């Protein structure tokens, strides 16, 4: 099975979010998953549009899973 680089990065990001119990900002996610920040932002937008994650705006914003990790 061949997985695209974008899909691999998306899985890494969702996995990192599942291990966190709080909101995580894009810069931290990119560093933790070793995904370039610009590419991470692109993937995060797609994950939000797909309702897999939710985004929070503002100074204390970030990203979190839309559902609990066990679902």
């Amino acid at each position: 099975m061949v997985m695209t680089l974008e899909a691999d990065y998306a899985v890494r990001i969702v996995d990192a979010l599942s291990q966190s119990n709080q909101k995580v900002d894009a810069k931290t996610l990119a560093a933790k998953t070793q995904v370039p920040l610009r590419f991470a932002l692109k993937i995060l937008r797609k994950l939000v549009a797909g309702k897999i994650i939710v985004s929070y705006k503002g100074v204390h914003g970030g990203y979190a899973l839309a559902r609990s990790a066990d679902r």
Side-chain angles (χ1 to χ4, degrees):
M1 178 175 158
V2 176
M3 182 182 282
T4 64
L5 188 60
E6 185 175 20
D8 178 51
Y9 286 170
V11 170
R12 288 187 205 181
I13 290 170
V14 171
D15 182 51
L17 286 171
S18 71
Q19 294 175 10
S20 175
N21 294 331
Q22 57 191 9
K23 295 178 279 190
V24 183
D25 65 292
K27 189 174 182 181
T28 302
L29 275 173
K32 187 174 182 179
T33 58
Q34 298 180 346
V35 176
L37 180 58
R38 287 186 65 174
F39 204 10
L41 291 169
K42 177 182 173 185
I43 293 168
L44 288 166
R45 280 193 301 274
K46 288 184 178 185
L47 291 172
V48 169
K51 298 182 181 172
I52 296 171
I53 64 173
V54 292
S55 66
Y56 298 94
K57 298 183 190 292
V59 175
H60 301 288
Y63 297 90
L65 291 178
R67 298 182 202 115
S68 62
D70 59 351
R71 292 189 69 206

